[in-house]
Amino acid sequence: MLGIEVIKVKIIKLFIFILLIIIVSLSGFLWGTYTYFSQNLPSVSALKNYKPKSVTTFYADDGTVIAEIFTEKRKVVPINKIPRRLVEAFVAAEDANFFTHKGIDYKGILRALYKNLEAGEIIQGGSTITQQVAKSLLLSPTRSWVRKIKEAILAYRIEKNLTKEEILYLYLNQIFLGHGAYGVAAAAENYFGKDITEINLAEAAILAGLPRAPSRYSPYKHPKRAKKRQEYVLKRMVKNGYITKEEMEQALNTKIIIKGVKNPFFEVAPYFAEYVRQKLEQKYGREVVYNEGLKVYTTVLPSYQKAARKAILKGLKELDKRQGYRGPIMHLEKDQIPNFLNKVTKEIGDEPLKIGEEYPAVSLK
């Protein structure tokens, strides 16, 4: 019996020894990996001076917007101007444990894997909001396991150097949300024709559903998919305690009106705006004019400009009438007529024809 007890003790000691070797080896491997991939990583301190590409706006004498020029349509807004419901919608959809994790959410990774397998498609991502900030602002978009390791290291560093509010400010202003819109303010204008402060819960859930795949869930192109994604976001908000089931049902029954935003560059004073743009580019350079969010105040009066354009158009029409009919603008073969008419129909769209306007047409003998 004594010999058996001695053998048991030896086995236990051997097990503990092997376990210690594994722990030490694993710790050494992890430390070595961290040290190796930490070399030459960008500094997270640069995020403190966040100055992204944003819209340059031209204003008329009365303060109305007459033009916007940009390479990325982004309007940077402070975090305290973004509605609380919108922040909660993004957190619920993209990173439920955002306010408690330290950059990496291991439970979230496992949950996303399970949910995606269950749904048969990617409906959740494993990256935290902090990781997405690191990827978007500090790393290249190239997909590789090396980048994922660097992303995780940077996310940890970001969490140590920035507050949660500062991270959300970067994320919500930087993220691409489809149809040329970068950041939630530009997206609110693009999709709903609203200032970011006016967004309701139903609209917030639509926007929060876009980061995973902006084109796939576009309310412009795929309203049914967008609605399904909205429902998913709202259910996540209920699960995380941000809203009640009654609020979810109310949001689902709220009618969403999608409004495309017209480019003011072509609406009021296009030739004047182009002249101003050229002068600015000559003085400051294209990079500054298109990316640094300048506010340009001009002397043009929209009411006078519209009256002048109307008078010129009237004069041109009267001149054209005096000169008489000068033949068609083009000749079409019989098989070309359907394509021409389809093109004209698409250009006119659903807008009713306006009295006094001129439209392309086909005259048949």
Side-chain angles (χ1 to χ4, degrees):
M1 293 293 292
L2 185 59
I4 294 174
E5 290 297 325
V6 170
I7 292 171
K8 285 182 178 180
V9 170
K10 287 183 177 181
I11 290 173
I12 292 171
K13 286 182 177 180
L14 180 61
F15 175 77
I16 293 174
F17 178 71
I18 293 172
L19 184 61
L20 286 172
I21 289 176
I22 293 173
I23 292 173
V24 170
S25 300
L26 183 60
S27 299
F29 171 77
L30 292 175
W31 176 252
T33 301
Y34 175 83
T35 303
Y36 176 78
F37 287 106
S38 293
Q39 297 175 21
N40 302 319
L41 282 180
S43 172
V44 299
S45 61
L47 299 178
K48 289 280 189 179
N49 300 312
Y50 176 65
K51 291 182 180 179
K53 295 177 180 179
S54 52
V55 176
T56 285
T57 307
F58 295 1
Y59 296 94
D61 187 71
D62 62 0
T64 58
V65 176
I66 61 168
E68 291 180 341
I69 55 176
F70 48 84
T71 54
E72 292 182 2
K73 186 175 183 182
R74 177 185 288 107
K75 297 185 177 180
V76 179
V77 288
I79 191 66
N80 59 5
K81 293 289 185 182
I82 300 174
R84 178 174 58 88
R85 286 289 190 233
L86 183 60
V87 173
E88 292 170 346
F90 272 88
V91 170
E94 291 294 306
D95 187 0
N97 297 322
F98 172 73
F99 291 107
T100 57
H101 67 62
K102 300 298 181 183
I104 308 296
D105 183 11
Y106 302 103
K107 290 181 180 178
I109 293 171
L110 294 175
R111 182 182 64 248
L113 179 62
Y114 172 76
K115 289 290 184 182
N116 293 337
L117 289 173
E118 186 180 47
E121 61 177 329
I122 298 176
I123 60 170
Q124 288 188 22
S127 292
T128 63
I129 284 176
T130 316
Q131 285 177 277
Q132 292 181 55
V133 168
K135 177 177 66 176
S136 178
L137 292 171
L138 299 175
L139 296 172
S140 70
T142 306
R143 292 187 175 186
S144 69
W145 63 271
V146 172
R147 196 214 68 197
K148 291 297 291 184
I149 293 173
K150 291 181 177 181
E151 182 184 296
I153 294 170
L154 286 170
Y156 174 74
R157 292 181 179 178
I158 289 171
E159 291 277 351
K160 290 188 69 176
N161 286 273
L162 301 179
T163 65
K164 291 291 186 180
E165 287 71 25
E166 288 172 327
I167 295 170
L168 282 171
Y169 163 73
L170 296 172
Y171 174 73
L172 293 173
N173 279 297
Q174 182 67 20
I175 191 168
F176 177 65
L177 293 171
H179 295 282
Y182 290 81
V184 291
E189 282 190 5
N190 262 21
Y191 293 113
F192 311 120
K194 288 185 175 183
D195 183 84
I196 188 64
T197 58
E198 301 170 337
I199 293 298
N200 60 40
L201 176 59
E203 293 162 341
I206 289 285
L207 295 181
L210 291 171
R212 186 64 46 220
S215 179
R216 177 176 174 78
Y217 297 114
S218 165
Y220 278 133
K221 295 182 177 179
H222 307 292
K224 289 184 179 179
R225 289 181 190 168
K227 187 67 179 178
K228 184 178 178 181
R229 184 68 177 169
Q230 178 202 40
E231 183 178 359
Y232 164 77
V233 173
L234 290 168
K235 285 180 177 179
R236 293 289 300 163
M237 293 182 76
V238 171
K239 186 173 182 178
N240 286 277
Y242 291 128
I243 60 173
T244 64
K245 287 186 177 180
E246 290 73 22
E247 288 175 309
M248 179 186 75
E249 291 300 327
Q250 186 178 359
L252 286 172
N253 292 322
T254 299
K255 185 177 180 180
I256 300 291
I257 300 175
I258 304 299
K259 296 180 179 179
V261 178
K262 295 181 179 179
N263 188 342
F265 196 102
F266 303 105
E267 295 295 313
V268 180
Y271 301 108
F272 177 80
E274 173 60 15
Y275 176 78
V276 173
R277 185 200 65 78
Q278 290 178 11
K279 287 296 182 182
L280 287 170
E281 196 169 327
Q282 288 172 12
K283 187 171 184 178
Y284 300 107
R286 183 180 178 85
E287 184 69 21
V288 171
V289 174
Y290 276 82
N291 296 324
E292 294 198 6
L294 306 180
K295 295 186 182 299
V296 183
Y297 298 92
T298 72
T299 57
V300 70
L301 290 166
S303 58
Y304 287 15
Q305 185 71 22
K306 288 179 181 177
R309 290 179 67 185
K310 186 177 180 181
I312 290 174
L313 183 60
K314 181 182 178 183
L316 289 173
K317 286 183 177 180
E318 290 176 350
L319 174 64
D320 184 64
K321 186 178 287 187
R322 288 196 299 271
Q323 290 181 344
Y325 178 66
R326 296 182 299 282
I329 57 175
M330 69 175 74
H331 292 275
L332 297 173
E333 297 297 331
K334 191 173 181 179
D335 59 347
Q336 294 176 312
I337 293 175
N339 288 337
F340 175 80
L341 292 176
N342 286 335
K343 183 180 178 182
V344 171
T345 302
K346 287 181 180 179
E347 289 176 352
I348 295 173
D350 297 327
E351 293 291 325
L353 300 182
K354 298 178 182 177
I355 296 175
E357 292 291 326
E358 296 180 355
Y359 300 92
V362 175
S363 177
L364 300 173
K365 290 183 180 181

